[in-house]
């Protein structure tokens, strides 16, 4: 078993409060890594909602069941 697999296996057994402690400790080694998901402004949220409505109105939508089936097939889930 690789070190990565062993570590993941151990971490899957930890309760949430211990995982938070591990996360805080590891963050000490990577202080420059930021969250890739920046907060959106109100205008950005409204723009994204308008874009979603426009897509729906123009028929640029996919059935969620089909999308789910495609993902399961592609990744073997």
């Amino acid at each position: 078993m690789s070190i990565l697999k062993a570590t993941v296996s151990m971490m899957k057994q930890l309760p949430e409060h211990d995982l938070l402690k591990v996360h805080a400790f590891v963050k000490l080694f990577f202080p420059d890594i930021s969250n890739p998901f920046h907060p959106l402004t109100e205008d950005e949220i409204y723009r994204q909602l308008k874009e979603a409505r426009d897509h729906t109105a123009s028929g640029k939508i996919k059935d969620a069941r089909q999308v789910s089936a495609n993902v399961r097939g592609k990744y073997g889930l």
Side-chain angles (χ1 to χ4, degrees), residues 18-68:
D18 287 340
L19 287 173
L20 291 172
K21 291 176 187 176
V22 170
H23 181 258
F25 180 73
V26 171
K27 280 178 59 176
L28 295 173
F29 296 99
F30 303 96
D32 296 332
I33 294 179
S34 62
N35 185 346
F37 304 106
H38 65 282
L40 298 175
T41 66
E42 186 175 349
D43 288 337
E44 289 171 320
I45 293 170
Y46 284 126
R47 182 187 53 73
Q48 289 183 4
L49 287 170
K50 181 184 180 323
E51 185 178 336
R53 284 190 213 100
D54 291 345
H55 283 178
T56 302
S58 65
K60 294 181 181 175
I61 59 173
K62 294 181 182 178
D63 183 86
R65 289 174 294 249
Q66 185 60 47
V67 171
S68 179

